[in-house]
Amino acid sequence: MMNVLGVCTSPDGIRWALASGTRSLPQLRDMERNILRLPDIEDETAKLMNVLRFLSTLIKEKDIEKVVVATVGHSQYGGPSTVRVKIECVVQLAAAETAVAVELIAPKTLKAREKKLSAEAGGSAEEILNNSHDFSPRAGRDAVIAAWAGLPE
């Protein structure tokens, strides 16, 4: 059974989801705490190193075989937040450090994968993976869809 880590970044940290199984029979794991907030310190390098250590440990401890990152789109102010882009890079470094494959999914592709999830698994992400409860906030839902998208067919 393949274990996939879906990640969605924000300016203040990451949301993540662990999925296993297949796209038609997906299961979420360990959803009780799926957020990592950046520490409230001035040193940005230290913040990013904290994310790197956390993800490297998570990937090893949970036997992750693939990481899927929901990449940032453009904000109302123009391009993506520089912090979010840096965090995405750190996610890729953590995967590379642990010899795990990484896939980046653009926002438009994530929407298409969400529609594919409904078609392949027979319902919405909430129905199939969360007992019909909403994922909150949106970044958590995006992490779940990213994790599902990385599962084998």
Side-chain angles (χ1 to χ4, degrees), residues 9 11 71-85 88:
T9 65
T71 61
V72 297
H74 291 281
S75 71
Q76 63 188 10
Y77 306 108
S81 156
T82 57
V83 173
R84 288 183 75 174
V85 173
E88 284 179 12

Side-chain angles (χ1 to χ4, degrees), residues 23-99:
R23 287 186 187 173
S24 59
L25 293 170
Q27 295 177 335
L28 287 184
R29 300 175 31 212
D30 304 327
M31 287 301 291
E32 64 276 354
R33 188 172 191 301
N34 63 349
I35 186 169
L36 174 68
R37 296 216 186 275
L38 293 176
D40 190 19
I41 55 176
E42 290 293 319
D43 185 357
E44 189 173 85
T45 301
K47 289 179 184 185
L48 295 172
M49 288 301 298
N50 182 48
V51 174
L52 179 66
R53 282 188 294 274
F54 171 79
L55 287 172
S56 294
T57 301
L58 181 69
I59 290 169
K60 290 173 191 170
E61 287 182 355
K62 301 295 182 179
D63 278 333
I64 302 301
E65 298 165 72
K66 185 174 186 179
V67 176
V68 181
V69 182
T71 61
V72 297
H74 291 281
S75 71
Q76 63 188 10
Y77 306 108
S81 156
T82 57
V83 173
R84 288 183 75 174
V85 173
K86 290 176 185 178
I87 294 170
E88 284 179 12
C89 180
V90 167
V91 173
Q92 292 176 67
L93 290 172
E97 179 180 77
T98 55

Side-chain angles (χ1 to χ4, degrees), residues 110-111 114 124-126 135-146:
L110 191 68
K111 289 280 187 199
E114 182 178 353
S124 71
E126 289 81 5
F135 290 105
S136 180
R138 174 79 185 178
R141 186 174 198 279
D142 289 349
V144 167
I145 294 168

